[in-house]
Amino acid sequence: MLLRSGRRLATLEEAGRATVSRKRRERPDLLARLPEAILLEILVRLPAKSVLRCRAVCRSWRRLASDPAFLLDHHRHQPELQLISSYPTTDGGHYIRRLQAVHLRGAEVRPFFVLPELWGFRGPFDSSCDGLLVAGYDICNPATRQWAPLSTNPKLHIENIVGLFRHQPSGEYRVLYWTHSSVPPTLPILPGDVLCPNEYRVLTVGTSKSRLVDCPLTKMIGALGPIICGAPVILNGRLHVHWTMRADVCYHKILVFDTVAETFRHMIPPSVNPRHAMHLLDMSGRLAVATSKDGVTGVSIFLLQDKEQDVWAFHYRIKLPVMDIRRFQEQGNLWAEVVSEEGDVLVSCYGHLLHFDKKGNLVANFEYDDDDLPVVLPHRLKESLIQHTFFHKTQN
């Protein structure tokens, strides 16, 4: 009796294993019969890492997920991620550089990559555009782990980068940067004037083509010249840059660079205290300014109403619960940054990255090691799997 029961049980187990095995074999066939239109609707919404994995499933999936039209559509569907740089220590006590991205709506931190020495990055993250990131003398795509030098001329030092942009008529990616001018001034110098010691140039990425462009920043108050605050905002083919002054004299200037004509013009900023911190934002396709006295207690948002007349209007004010924030870090400085068109704020402190909404409510607390300071970079990035020729030149 026991022998029969044992045989019967073994038979059932074998039948069960056979059914599971058969279902596993049938699963790829069921997926293969899925209509391409539905499959594309699924793939286009996946993160870049998941799409790369799906390419390895079968030839038909690889064909669909590699088509240029799909790659462009995939990039358009990706959420805009806020970039974070952190510096955790290794076992040897040395700091390493790690790039992460915060998906605000998903309340998650996505690891992008660690920057080892062999990548050859020589400088901070300078600019981002269309899923591409400029770091030092290099351009990279964090989603595909591809990188290349900005210029094919190793003697051309590309420093002091203003912004990366796509030149619409040619489809080329170009970098606006400045260097110290070696040309003697030709304009009349009035008493009290100090000429800006910089000249502005445009480089086509992946070439040695660098050319001079005229810039209205000629006369400045202060001998050190202007510096860029935050990241430029690209709207309607124009790159908006916030400039301020070092040393004792403080003021805010907005310079607008037309990425098609490659010309400059001044824009009048909102009337804010020149000593308050200020940075530019893209709010639903409209230029905005965030300004704060100390960067923590509160942030005021101004919205551009008339881009032709440079008319600004107060939008709203964000008040942050400083006492609640201080329980995460009792001593030392705190850094708050408005990072979305909805008014989301990220606050950096040792061991924590705090996410608040525009009403000052704590939405999420991303925890880090106690000695790790997450830094909110002035850049956002939408993942892209679009291929670029300047990466292929480096790989070949």
Side-chain angles (χ1 to χ4, degrees):
M1 195 74 175
L2 290 174
L3 184 60
R4 284 183 182 177
S5 299
R7 287 177 179 175
R8 195 172 299 163
L9 182 61
T11 302
L12 289 174
E13 288 178 351
E14 290 175 1
R17 285 195 295 269
T19 302
V20 171
S21 179
R22 186 168 59 255
K23 288 182 177 180
R24 286 177 178 173
R25 289 196 303 270
E26 291 175 354
R27 191 175 299 161
D29 295 333
L30 292 174
L31 292 174
R33 290 196 295 269
L34 194 67
E36 285 192 0
I38 297 178
L39 182 58
L40 285 173
E41 285 296 317
I42 297 172
L43 292 175
V44 81
R45 288 168 172 78
L46 295 178
K49 187 175 181 180
S50 298
V51 172
L52 293 175
R53 288 176 175 174
C54 287
R55 285 181 180 177
V57 173
C58 61
R59 291 181 179 179
S60 62
W61 283 31
R62 183 176 183 84
R63 173 181 56 81
L64 291 174
S66 302
D67 183 79
F70 165 80
L71 298 180
L72 183 59
D73 200 25
H74 175 264
H75 174 59
R76 290 170 178 164
H77 278 81
Q78 293 308 294
E80 198 165 48
L81 304 174
Q82 175 62 47
L83 295 182
I84 306 294
S85 182
S86 66
Y87 300 86
T89 56
T90 63
D91 294 337
H94 301 291
Y95 285 95
I96 59 175
R97 195 177 183 190
R98 184 172 61 190
L99 181 66
Q100 298 171 315
V102 175
H103 185 199
L104 296 173
R105 301 284 77 81
E108 63 173 339
V109 175
R110 298 180 181 178
F112 263 16
F113 52 66
V114 175
L115 301 180
E117 293 295 329
L118 59 89
W119 273 61
F121 284 119
R122 295 155 288 178
F125 301 108
D126 293 307
S127 187
S128 64
C129 177
D130 294 345
L132 301 172
L133 188 64
V134 173
Y137 304 144
D138 300 314
I139 186 169
C140 71
N141 184 338
T144 61
R145 303 296 196 272
Q146 293 173 299
W147 70 275
L150 285 172
S151 174
T152 55
N153 182 2
K155 295 182 180 181
L156 186 62
H157 296 292
I158 313 299
E159 298 180 291
N160 308 312
I161 290 175
V162 178
L164 171 70
F165 63 93
R166 184 177 184 270
H167 183 248
Q168 190 65 33
S170 65
E172 298 173 341
Y173 283 89
R174 299 178 179 179
V175 170
L176 176 66
Y177 68 103
W178 62 268
T179 61
H180 294 289
S181 177
S182 58
V183 180
T186 57
L187 297 176
I189 303 177
L190 300 177
D193 283 346
V194 177
L195 287 185
C196 176
N198 309 327
E199 64 182 24
Y200 299 85
R201 307 186 69 88
V202 169
L203 167 77
T204 300
V205 175
T207 73
S208 59
K209 300 176 183 177
S210 176
R211 58 194 174 281
L212 184 67
V213 292
D214 291 331
C215 180
L217 285 177
T218 52
K219 296 180 182 180
M220 307 299 299
I221 303 174
L224 294 177
I227 58 172
I228 302 173
C229 290
V233 173
I234 300 178
L235 287 172
N236 303 317
R238 291 173 175 82
L239 192 147
H240 304 78
V241 187
H242 170 218
W243 301 86
T244 188
M245 179 61 64
R246 305 178 202 235
D248 296 331
V249 180
C250 298
Y251 65 86
H252 299 293
K253 297 287 184 182
I254 298 177
L255 200 61
V256 182
F257 180 72
D258 189 318
T259 61
V260 175
E262 296 188 340
T263 56
F264 287 95
R265 82 168 183 89
H266 282 295
M267 173 180 281
I268 300 173
S271 298
V272 299
N273 191 318
R275 294 187 178 275
H276 287 185
M278 175 179 133
H279 74 274
L280 304 180
L281 290 169
D282 174 3
M283 286 198 163
S284 301
R286 299 173 67 181
L287 187 65
V289 159
T291 181
S292 173
K293 178 181 179 180
D294 56 10
V296 179
T297 56
V299 182
S300 296
I301 305 295
F302 294 84
L303 201 61
L304 183 64
Q305 301 295 313
D306 188 334
K307 61 183 178 182
E308 301 300 330
Q309 301 296 325
D310 297 346
V311 178
W312 297 83
F314 174 78
H315 194 35
Y316 56 77
R317 179 171 174 79
I318 303 171
K319 292 184 179 180
L320 295 175
V322 181
M323 297 303 294
D324 290 342
I325 296 174
R326 276 298 179 190
R327 61 191 174 90
F328 294 99
Q329 180 178 308
E330 296 181 358
Q331 302 295 329
N333 293 329
L334 300 169
W335 292 270
E337 197 83 19
V338 180
V339 294
S340 80
E341 58 188 31
E342 289 83 13
D344 295 282
V345 181
L346 291 179
V347 179
S348 298
C349 54
Y350 279 100
H352 299 273
L353 181 67
L354 309 175
H355 175 199
F356 292 88
D357 62 19
K358 69 177 182 180
K359 295 182 180 180
N361 300 314
L362 181 63
V363 178
N365 173 17
F366 305 107
E367 296 188 11
Y368 290 74
D369 294 337
D370 291 339
D371 58 349
D372 191 355
L373 176 63
V375 178
V376 180
L377 299 177
H379 307 297
R380 298 183 223 173
L381 186 140
K382 294 178 68 171
E383 288 186 314
S384 173
L385 296 172
I386 298 172
Q387 296 299 306
H388 300 283
T389 55
F390 42 79
F391 290 133
H392 299 312
K393 289 178 182 178
T394 301
Q395 292 171 351
N396 294 334

